[in-house]
Amino acid sequence: MNYPTTDTTEDLGARRKAAAAECTRWLSGRRLPSADALRALADVATEDERDGYGNGGEVALLEQEVAELLGKPAAVFVPTGILAQQAVLRVFADRAGTQRVAVHGLSHLLVHELNALEEVHHLRLERMTSEPRQPRPDELAAIPGKLAAVTLELPLRDGGFVLPTWDELVVFAAACDARGVPLHLDGARLWESTPYLEHSLAEIAALASTVYVSFYKGLGGLSGAALAGPEDVIAEVRRWQRRLGGNVYTLFPYAVSAREGLRTVLPQMGDLHQRAVELAKALQDKGFRVFPEPPHTNSFRLFAPRPAAEMELAAVRRMEATHESLGWMWRAADVPGWSWSELVVTPGTLQWRVDEVAKAFGELLDS
């Protein structure tokens, strides 16, 4: 396919943003909620009574649903996952009398939160590994001394959406238990992990003391997160929620959208993972490479044998010409001359045929 030529020195970021605003079809990703989407939430709300500072109404119902899904005694709904995990790790540190927490070097806690755990809570983060894989028990054992908690991000997004096998997860959890240290799961995408792990949410959560889940990623909610665990831990997290400014006047619209995601998107996770596997195979046949192969979740990294600047220009030109968005921006890979992007399979992706997607991405290599 031939596209109009455009000066390649233009700001591709601005062009991508402008092109995205004109798109009428999306393969991966989504627009920010529109006024129509907000109006539709009113039709799916089940409680006329709204919460007050997170108490009652749809928020209470959501917390009960999450606790039941994860098999935990209690859960709390908070505006952000950053707040949820800061709070629970602070609780564990205060209880243990040590500030040392074991983390992966590519975890969200380290990469995307402006060093909040150290700056705000003075926690000392011990890196088990920084390899693009899940940490092993021997790497945890190599960290001496007392730990307040151990964290696992399932899947590890900045490692390429990688998961451990179920047996590896069981062994790692047993190592934490034998050491007497709480295991906390960063489950921002835990909903998407059950097909690969082949166990229920409750079975996965049973291996950990506490679990954080997100509602705006895989489930497509407006925003918000939940933390599930023992009642006494959740009670302390609620106090830290207040201290950290997360006890907002009402969480009503966020809770409604989260519950709608649980009702409508969560049951599709198996289909989304299967489509990711199908797309990965089709794209490899077009000359791309994927990681992991096959994908562990509905998301994976896609590598192209073409420099990032050329791939991004081709992607933006295609958006401008077709009003279709295939996904996120292209970045330089570690291998010279190659680039990579993330492909996230959403319910909207299921409206595209596999061969149609492969053809569209093939055009980016050929244009």
Side-chain angles (χ1 to χ4, degrees), residues 26-363:
W26 296 71
L27 174 70
S28 183
R30 61 191 177 96
R31 292 176 182 268
L32 293 174
S34 64
D36 287 340
L38 294 177
R39 280 189 286 268
L41 286 178
D43 295 330
V44 299
T46 61
E47 286 289 307
D48 291 332
E49 175 194 359
R50 67 161 177 78
D51 66 288
Y53 292 103
N55 295 310
E58 295 272 354
V59 172
L61 293 174
L62 175 62
E63 290 173 344
Q64 180 181 351
E65 290 174 2
V66 170
E68 292 174 354
L69 280 169
L70 298 178
K72 296 297 185 186
V76 56
F77 182 55
V78 296
T80 71
I82 292 177
L83 187 153
Q85 299 201 103
Q86 281 189 39
V88 73
L89 293 177
R90 177 61 182 267
V91 169
F92 284 140
D94 288 348
R95 288 184 170 199
T98 178
Q99 280 70 48
R100 301 173 69 235
V101 175
V103 303
H104 194 291
L106 295 177
S107 71
H108 194 283
L109 297 165
L110 278 171
V111 178
H112 299 290
E113 300 182 15
L114 296 180
N115 205 29
L117 290 175
E118 293 182 350
E119 293 288 339
V120 178
H121 301 280
H122 308 293
L123 299 187
R124 178 179 166 187
L125 303 183
E126 304 284 357
R127 293 160 176 79
M128 293 178 282
T129 180
S130 293
E131 295 294 319
R133 56 169 173 78
Q134 291 290 333
R136 302 189 305 260
D138 64 296
E139 292 167 330
L140 172 61
I143 301 175
K146 189 175 184 180
L147 293 172
V150 179
T151 71
L152 280 185
E153 184 178 322
L154 300 181
L156 183 65
R157 185 267 179 90
D158 281 293
F161 302 98
V162 292
L163 286 165
T165 65
W166 173 253
D167 289 343
E168 289 169 343
L169 182 58
V170 170
V171 170
F172 190 90
C176 295
D177 186 60
R179 189 162 173 170
V181 58
L183 174 61
H184 168 70
L185 296 184
D186 176 341
R189 296 170 175 83
L190 190 66
W191 315 113
E192 297 95 314
S193 302
T194 54
Y196 179 80
L197 292 173
E198 296 184 321
H199 283 75
S200 70
L201 289 164
E203 289 171 327
I204 298 168
L207 300 176
S209 298
T210 53
V211 184
Y212 143 65
V213 289
S214 173
F215 296 107
Y216 79 88
K217 297 180 177 71
L219 296 185
L222 292 178
S223 188
L227 185 82
E231 291 182 354
D232 60 329
V233 173
I234 298 304
E236 289 190 62
V237 167
R238 290 185 185 275
R239 290 171 63 83
W240 275 107
Q241 178 184 359
R242 180 71 171 181
R243 290 168 178 149
L244 294 171
N247 193 216
V248 300
Y249 182 55
T250 182
L251 290 165
F252 175 69
Y254 306 107
V256 173
S257 68
R259 295 187 70 209
E260 181 67 0
L262 290 176
R263 284 191 292 265
T264 62
V265 183
L266 184 57
Q268 300 184 60
M269 288 305 170
D271 293 336
L272 299 183
H273 177 244
Q274 180 59 36
R275 180 54 58 88
V277 172
E278 295 167 353
L279 289 176
K281 184 178 185 303
L283 290 168
Q284 288 182 103
D285 291 342
K286 286 289 185 179
F288 292 87
R289 294 293 180 266
V290 302
F291 180 81
E293 203 287 311
H296 292 180
T297 70
N298 64 315
S299 306
F300 57 91
R301 285 192 174 184
L302 184 65
F303 292 86
R306 191 178 187 187
E310 295 180 15
M311 284 296 292
E312 181 65 5
L313 179 60
V316 171
R317 284 176 172 174
R318 189 183 189 282
M319 291 174 70
E320 293 168 339
T322 66
H323 302 296
E324 293 178 345
S325 171
L326 297 181
W328 314 113
M329 68 178 292
W330 290 86
R331 307 173 188 178
D334 291 337
V335 177
W338 282 68
S339 55
W340 69 276
S341 184
E342 291 179 345
L343 184 57
V344 180
V345 175
T346 69
T349 312
L350 300 179
Q351 306 304 313
W352 296 61
R353 299 189 318 274
V354 173
D355 64 326
E356 182 184 14
V357 174
K359 180 177 182 293
F361 273 96
E363 292 170 356

